[in-house]
Amino acid sequence: MKILISGGGIAGLTLAHWLHHWGHIAVVAERAPHGRLGGYGIDFFGTGYDVAAHMGITDRLAAHQLPTDSVCYVDGAGRVTARLERQLLEKVIRGPYLALMHTTLEEALAEAVRDKVEIRYGQHIAAIEQRPSGVGITFAEGRQESFDLLIGADGVHSATRELAFGPEERFARHLGYTMACYPLHDTYGLGPRRVHYSEPGRQTILYPTGMPGELIALFLYRTADHTIPPCAERRAALRHTFTGMGWLTPQLLDAAPEDGLFMDSLTQITMPSWHTGRIALTGDACAAMTLTSAQGASMAMDGGYLLVQALHQHADHQAAFHTYETQLRPAVQQRQQRARTFARSLVPATRTGLATQSAVTRLVLRNAFSGLLRRGYGDATSILTRT
């Protein structure tokens, strides 16, 4: 079959790899002109790691993992109040674990499909027409083309989902936070650590990217307004929200770029069905979990793998879509629920809440509480079946 994948991120590129592997013609349409740039750090483990190993890219990923040996929590003077050592984190996860930049994984996946799959950068879908024998696609520049199937893998704000299923508001579940991040020069001497500093309703995080002299500054704050300002206004909005915050926050805000600042709400996507006719969704387009799950990238790879596996097992695409969704949905719902629970206490809104969180954190970041910590990271057990 000739299958169009809308979106060239983790889910879309994983899907493209396995479609090619099983003899299909995959075409990827990616809105960004030269692939996706920027990004943030991710925890990569569990079922997604298993897919990456099956693809033969884990050695490449391991060679580019983030140089962090601990996660530190500090007070306004920069004094460490609690620390999560990497050895304990690996014990909690009970399996292979990599700390990666989001783009490191995307670049490895793009390399895996290079010269095998057509990727059309700077192209996106403007209209869809479902037909008995295929899907008619009109691209934004006016070009028209037919495909056997269309798979939307274009993220939490999926345009494919909006065209085929309806507006985002029907499916979005906002968790009450907005995040922003950007790279900056390392002039702070933090070493191989990820550092968290919190005040009521606000949190600043700083960690190395693996590129010499580069850090990522990440900001997270509570808000009932999930509207994201235009790119040109984001720097000012972030400075306004974090004015008066301690630790290194003022210096980090001064270093914020005028453009290229990533900002988005923490939004889950929940849908009654992930497919309609010859169109299906995968990854964040249908099952976004947010960074509070720590498993979004992993599950995006799992979804791509399971969808192609189902297409390989069933001659009828409807049966394949049903099998894929039946296999993956319980794991997604479990992780989404766990992420919602965790989000409620992620950044406490009051000083009393922060003090309680700090005391609990100091208590549980030790080997004796590895089982309790495991609940926060979720079940890393693979849900794959290989063919």
Side-chain angles (χ1 to χ4, degrees):
M1 289 189 292
K2 184 180 180 181
I3 300 173
L4 178 64
I5 303 168
S6 177
I10 292 171
L13 293 173
T14 302
L15 183 67
H17 170 89
W18 291 109
L19 286 173
H20 173 80
H21 176 80
W22 289 114
H24 300 288
I25 299 171
V27 176
V28 178
E30 167 54 45
R31 182 184 293 264
H34 303 292
R36 301 183 183 186
L37 302 175
Y40 47 88
I42 59 173
D43 296 304
F44 189 61
F45 60 96
T47 194
Y49 186 98
D50 291 342
V51 175
H54 199 19
M55 294 172 65
I57 63 173
T58 50
D59 286 346
R60 173 181 172 136
L61 295 176
H64 295 88
Q65 60 182 312
L66 298 179
T68 52
D69 58 19
S70 63
V71 178
C72 296
Y73 302 85
V74 301
D75 61 18
R79 295 183 293 256
V80 176
T81 60
R83 185 191 305 268
L84 173 60
E85 300 288 353
R86 183 183 176 103
Q87 293 88 340
L88 176 56
L89 181 57
E90 291 175 346
K91 180 178 180 179
V92 168
I93 290 173
R94 293 190 298 189
Y97 165 82
L98 296 173
L100 301 170
M101 290 298 293
H102 194 273
T103 48
T104 297
L105 181 53
E106 286 187 345
E107 288 166 358
L109 291 169
E111 181 63 29
V113 300
R114 197 179 308 279
D115 302 323
K116 301 175 183 176
V117 171
E118 180 185 0
I119 302 179
R120 302 176 183 176
Y121 291 112
Q123 189 172 82
H124 64 278
I125 299 170
I128 298 168
E129 180 187 357
Q130 292 225 53
R131 305 163 182 163
S133 59
V135 184
I137 302 294
T138 301
F139 293 99
E141 75 278 14
R143 176 181 177 182
Q144 296 183 331
E145 196 170 347
S146 294
F147 295 86
D148 295 300
L149 301 175
L150 167 63
I151 310 298
D154 44 349
V156 63
H157 305 300
S158 169
T160 309
R161 183 186 63 232
E162 182 160 353
L163 289 169
F165 295 85
E168 182 174 313
E169 290 72 20
R170 293 185 187 175
F171 315 113
R173 182 166 187 163
H174 304 288
L175 301 192
Y177 293 90
T178 291
M179 61 89 72
C181 67
Y182 50 85
L184 72 166
H185 294 299
D186 182 7
T187 60
Y188 308 100
L190 296 180
R193 304 183 300 164
R194 189 172 84 202
V195 183
H196 294 236
Y197 171 67
S198 297
E199 292 183 6
R202 304 183 293 184
Q203 185 175 83
T204 301
I205 304 170
L206 199 59
Y207 56 89
T209 67
M211 298 291 291
E214 185 179 74
L215 300 172
I216 289 289
L218 187 148
F219 301 85
L220 187 66
Y221 59 96
R222 284 180 172 267
T223 177
D225 182 7
H226 58 266
T227 304
I228 303 302
C231 291
E233 300 174 16
R234 291 178 184 177
R235 185 175 190 267
L238 187 65
R239 291 180 67 88
H240 175 76
T241 300
F242 281 82
T243 293
M245 191 164 178
W247 187 50
L248 297 174
T249 308
Q251 296 96 304
L252 301 178
L253 293 173
D254 287 343
E258 292 291 344
D259 55 13
L261 191 158
F262 176 81
M263 181 179 283
D264 204 355
S265 63
L266 266 61
T267 301
Q268 292 184 339
I269 297 297
T270 58
M271 302 180 66
S273 177
W274 298 347
H275 59 93
T276 177
R278 290 179 171 269
I279 302 170
L281 303 174
T282 193
D284 283 354
C286 61
M289 290 177 279
T290 78
L291 56 80
T292 59
S293 74
Q295 295 194 48
S298 181
M299 293 301 290
M301 293 191 70
D302 189 31
Y305 179 89
L306 289 176
L307 177 50
V308 180
Q309 184 183 67
L311 288 169
H312 179 67
Q313 293 171 339
H314 298 278
D316 176 63
H317 65 274
Q318 289 280 10
F321 290 164
H322 176 75
T323 295
Y324 147 72
E325 187 170 338
T326 300
Q327 288 179 318
L328 190 61
R329 183 181 283 275
V332 167
Q333 290 177 330
Q334 179 191 58
R335 287 157 173 80
Q336 284 184 327
Q337 179 57 57
R338 186 178 288 118
R340 290 194 291 269
T341 300
F342 181 59
R344 288 198 287 269
S345 60
L346 178 60
V347 183
T350 65
R351 293 195 179 278
T352 299
L354 274 176
T356 301
Q357 182 190 66
S358 180
V360 171
T361 300
R362 288 195 299 270
L363 174 66
V364 302
L365 293 187
R366 57 189 70 184
N367 284 324
F369 292 94
S370 59
L372 178 63
L373 292 169
R374 192 170 295 123
R375 296 181 187 177
Y377 275 88
D379 186 4
T381 303
S382 176
I383 60 173
L384 301 183
T385 57
R386 294 189 179 178
T387 58

